[in-house]
């Protein structure tokens, strides 16, 4: 068990403090750029963590996630454009306060509510993750196979409007994961005599290509111009205001906990649910939509809580529940770290660094948030081509440092184009990324199960955990199909009546 002296040694013997503050700063800057989501911000820095100490690398990624969740509220309040998906609910009342000349107050409420949510989420992460991870000790290869199938089915059914498109995207990801060396026999496959493919396709290349490069291609056709004022200053709320906001912040924290534990939930769902519940329980519901302080506090507390609680199923079972946690899982696997109880036993320094680094980032968020606002205003005011050029250079230089291979650059560009075409055809990219990330676990567990049973498929129904997980996967698929059927029928009835 980690003691105070262990934490003190961690702070003094490692560069954890500068790493946490650097990650937080980069996250806020990335989150403040409209269209550059938390997952893209994390994906941009992921290649640079390749040569870092694993504990510092994971702490850096977690702090970037925390910073991006707050940074997204800055353009949401100032220019009515959420920097991240989870900041969309903040637009409703945040921009209204800005129009009333209270932008600094709105930014201060967003910052302090984010800190409250982050502290609550970190406490839940520290309390729940390790106990839940011990459940994984009862898992057999069949159980891990079923767990991977469940993760893919949940994300596929909750990403986009079509289950079939989500499943098709996941299958493409699984196909990419089979490129390279067979995990059981050691035979090379699908390499087409290309030496660079012998070790397979790096998940980080897929993430950067499908997240960052696809977003750059999508933004290249946009002509929107955004401008921020240059004299904005954050005004932190006083004790009286914090007392007024405590109910809405509590609602955001508990709904953020629930959504963080739910695969496919995410910060945007938690933010809108919290906004609705805060209005329901508010003493002044008529102010919502017209500049309510509670309408900022609830969603900001929720999405910042999710930034920590979403790591609970990731660290316990290895199942990411959002784009951002998928990137963090890629970082773990890139450094040879497998989520679960063995991570807590064999690499406790990684967990300690993640917890302590996150705490440092949350505490520093108040000072950094106040100081970095002018830089965010300046950055968002830069012409779009300059911003895009800087981000593209960052992407390519980061990818090249992985293996010093131009092949990785070409592969990422090809995947970026593929992601752009998928976006045009309304295919979700997250199931594809999870297919790549979870593909090795799914295939190797499936193959090991058949080796143990001598090719008898009954082994999958003899394991009660596998049966339960596969049953849950089937439930999500059937539920998604039923939902699509109801929506299609409702649309048809509306067209008939009109």
């Amino acid at each position: 068990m980690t003691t105070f002296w262990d934490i003190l040694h961690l702070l003094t013997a490692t560069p954890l403090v500068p790493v946490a503050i650097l990650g937080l700063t980069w996250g806020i800057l990335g989150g403040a750029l409209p269209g550059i989501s938390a997952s893209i911000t994390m994906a941009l820095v992921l290649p640079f963590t390749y040569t870092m100490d694993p504990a510092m690398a994971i702490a850096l990624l977690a702090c970037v996630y925390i910073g991006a969740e707050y940074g997204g509220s800055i353009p949401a309040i100032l220019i009515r454009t959420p920097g991240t998906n989870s900041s969309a609910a903040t637009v409703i009342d945040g921009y209204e306060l800005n129009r009333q000349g209270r932008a600094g107050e709105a930014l201060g409420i967003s910052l302090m509510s984010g800190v409250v949510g982050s502290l609550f989420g970190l406490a839940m992460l520290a309390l729940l993750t390790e106990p839940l991870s011990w459940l994984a000790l009862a898992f057999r290869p069949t159980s891990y196979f079923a767990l991977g199938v469940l993760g893919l089915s949940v994300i596929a059914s909750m990403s986009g409007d079509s289950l079939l498109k989500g499943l098709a995207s996941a299958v493409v990801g699984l196909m990419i994961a089979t490129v390279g060396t067979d995990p059981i026999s050691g035979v090379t496959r699908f390499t087409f005599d290309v030496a660079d493919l012998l070790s397979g396709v790096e998940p980080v290349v897929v993430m950067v290509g499908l997240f960052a490069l696809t977003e750059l291609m999508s933004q290249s056709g946009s002509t929107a111009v955004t401008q921020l004022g240059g004299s904005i200053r954050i005004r932190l709320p006083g004790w009286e205001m914090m007392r007024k906001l405590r109910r809405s912040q509590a609602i955001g924290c508990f709904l953020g906990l629930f959504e963080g534990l739910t695969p496919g939930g995410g910060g945007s769902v938690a933010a809108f649910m919290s906004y609705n519940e805060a209005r329901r329980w508010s003493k002044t519901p008529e102010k919502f939509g017209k500049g309510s302080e509670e309408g900022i506090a609830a969603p900001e507390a929720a999405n910042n809580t999710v930034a920590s609680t979403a790591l609970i199923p990731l660290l316990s079972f290895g199942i990411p529940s959002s784009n951002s946690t998928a990137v963090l899982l890629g970082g773990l696997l890139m450094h040879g770290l497998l989520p679960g109880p063995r991570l807590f036993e064999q690499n406790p320094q990684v967990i300690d660094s993640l917890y302590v680094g996150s705490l440092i980032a949350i505490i520093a968020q108040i000072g950094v948030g106040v100081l970095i606002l002018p830089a965010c205003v300046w950055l968002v005011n830069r012409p779009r081509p300059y911003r895009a050029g800087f981000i593209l250079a960052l992407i390519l230089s980061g990818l090249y440092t992985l293996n010093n291979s131009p092949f990785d650059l070409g592969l990422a560009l090809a995947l970026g184009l593929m992601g752009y075409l998928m976006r045009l055809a309304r295919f979700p990219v997250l199931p594809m990324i999870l297919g790549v990330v979870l593909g090795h676990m799914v295939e190797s567990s499936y193959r090991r199960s058949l080796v143990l049973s001598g090719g008898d498929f009954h082994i999958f129904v003899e394991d009660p955990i596998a049966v339960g997980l596969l049953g849950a996967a089937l439930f999500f698929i059937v539920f998604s199909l039923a939902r699509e059927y109801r929506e299609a029928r409702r649309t048809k009835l509306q067209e008939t009546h009109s």
Side-chain angles (χ1 to χ4, degrees):
M1 183 177 180
T2 303
T3 65
F4 170 78
W5 300 111
D6 294 330
I7 295 175
L8 186 62
H9 175 74
L10 186 64
L11 292 174
T12 56
T14 65
L16 184 58
V17 174
V19 164
I21 295 177
L22 178 64
L24 174 71
T25 304
W26 170 247
I28 294 176
L29 289 172
L33 286 174
I36 306 300
S37 63
S39 56
I40 296 175
T41 306
M42 295 171 68
L44 288 174
V45 79
L46 183 59
F48 296 99
T49 66
Y50 189 71
T51 57
M52 291 178 62
D53 176 74
M56 295 299 104
I58 301 307
L60 176 66
L61 291 172
C63 293
V64 171
Y65 190 9
I66 292 171
E69 287 301 326
Y70 164 66
S73 67
I74 295 175
I77 291 170
L78 298 181
I79 59 174
R80 206 177 184 180
T81 303
T84 60
N85 293 336
S86 56
S87 300
T90 308
V91 171
I92 303 171
D93 284 286
Y95 186 69
E96 285 300 318
L97 284 177
N98 180 26
R99 291 179 61 187
Q100 297 169 18
R102 301 168 60 192
E105 185 180 347
L107 289 167
I109 292 172
S110 168
L111 176 57
M112 292 306 297
S113 299
V115 170
V116 170
S118 296
L119 287 173
F120 176 80
L122 181 60
M124 294 299 100
L125 175 66
L127 290 173
L128 299 178
T129 305
E130 187 171 3
L132 286 176
S133 70
W134 289 101
L135 294 176
L137 289 178
F139 281 31
R140 299 160 52 187
T142 49
S143 308
Y144 279 107
F145 165 74
L147 184 64
V149 172
L150 174 61
L152 290 172
S153 63
V154 169
I155 297 301
S157 62
M158 295 185 177
S159 299
D161 302 325
S162 171
L163 172 65
L164 292 180
K165 288 183 178 180
L167 291 175
S169 179
V171 168
V172 173
L174 290 172
M175 292 170 63
I176 294 175
T178 62
V179 174
T181 304
D182 187 292
I184 302 299
S185 66
V187 176
T188 59
R189 56 194 184 177
F190 309 122
T191 58
F192 305 100
D193 295 327
V194 177
D196 293 284
L197 290 176
L198 289 175
S199 58
V201 179
E202 294 270 6
V204 61
V205 175
V206 179
M207 292 178 189
V208 172
L210 291 181
F211 280 149
L213 289 174
T214 295
E215 184 62 33
L216 284 181
M217 292 180 186
S218 299
Q219 290 190 16
S220 64
S222 174
T223 58
V225 178
T226 57
Q227 288 292 320
L228 295 176
S231 59
I232 301 166
R233 293 291 182 270
I234 293 178
R235 290 179 53 197
L236 298 178
W239 287 112
E240 190 62 33
M241 177 60 71
M242 290 299 290
R243 286 182 59 191
K244 176 183 175 182
L245 299 175
R246 59 187 178 184
R247 179 189 288 109
S248 55
Q249 289 172 347
I251 290 172
C253 288
F254 284 104
L255 286 177
L257 171 62
F258 173 76
E259 288 298 323
L261 294 172
T262 304
S268 56
V269 177
F272 278 105
M273 287 179 62
S274 300
Y275 183 87
N276 289 330
E277 290 305 311
R279 179 172 54 186
R280 185 196 309 273
W281 293 97
S282 174
K283 295 179 180 178
T284 56
E286 68 279 358
K287 290 182 61 178
F288 278 71
K290 300 176 183 178
S292 170
E293 298 89 351
E294 294 175 278
I296 299 175
E300 284 301 306
N303 60 41
N304 281 272
T305 299
V306 170
S308 294
T309 56
L311 304 186
I312 296 174
L314 172 69
L315 296 177
S316 299
F317 304 109
I319 297 299
S321 58
S322 64
N323 294 353
S324 301
T325 50
V327 176
L328 189 56
L329 176 59
L332 286 167
L333 298 179
M334 187 171 70
H335 287 280
L337 303 171
L338 295 177
R342 290 182 179 84
L343 179 63
F344 290 84
E345 285 186 341
Q346 300 174 2
N347 304 98
Q349 72 281 2
V350 173
I351 301 299
D352 293 343
S353 297
L354 190 151
Y355 291 167
V356 178
S358 297
L359 181 60
I360 294 170
I362 294 167
I363 296 173
Q365 189 173 348
I366 299 174
V368 173
V370 172
L371 294 175
I372 206 174
L373 181 61
C376 293
V377 172
W378 180 88
L379 191 60
V380 175
N381 280 337
R382 296 310 91 198
R384 186 187 297 272
Y386 296 161
R387 296 204 313 260
F390 167 74
I391 293 172
L392 181 60
L394 189 67
I395 293 171
L396 297 181
S397 59
L399 285 176
Y400 189 77
T401 59
L402 287 176
N403 302 306
N404 295 329
S405 170
F407 181 82
D408 288 342
L409 303 183
L411 187 59
L413 290 170
L415 288 166
L417 177 59
M418 181 179 181
Y420 178 70
L421 296 176
M422 290 174 64
R423 180 173 294 192
L424 291 179
R426 302 180 65 85
F427 276 81
V429 298
L430 180 57
M432 178 175 168
I433 292 172
L434 283 188
V436 175
V437 173
L438 298 178
H440 178 77
M441 181 185 80
V442 171
E443 182 189 9
S444 59
S445 299
Y446 175 77
R447 298 277 298 278
R448 281 201 298 267
S449 299
L450 292 181
V451 168
L452 290 172
S453 67
D456 186 359
F457 288 94
H458 285 94
I459 191 173
F460 294 101
V461 296
E462 293 171 355
D463 180 3
I465 296 178
V467 171
L469 293 174
L470 291 174
L474 180 62
F475 167 77
F476 278 107
I477 292 175
V478 172
F479 175 79
S480 182
L481 286 174
R483 183 189 61 193
E484 289 182 21
Y485 174 77
R486 287 195 303 269
E487 291 177 354
R489 188 174 180 182
R490 187 182 303 114
T491 303
K492 187 176 179 180
L493 288 174
Q494 290 175 351
E495 293 175 351
T496 302
H497 289 302
S498 60

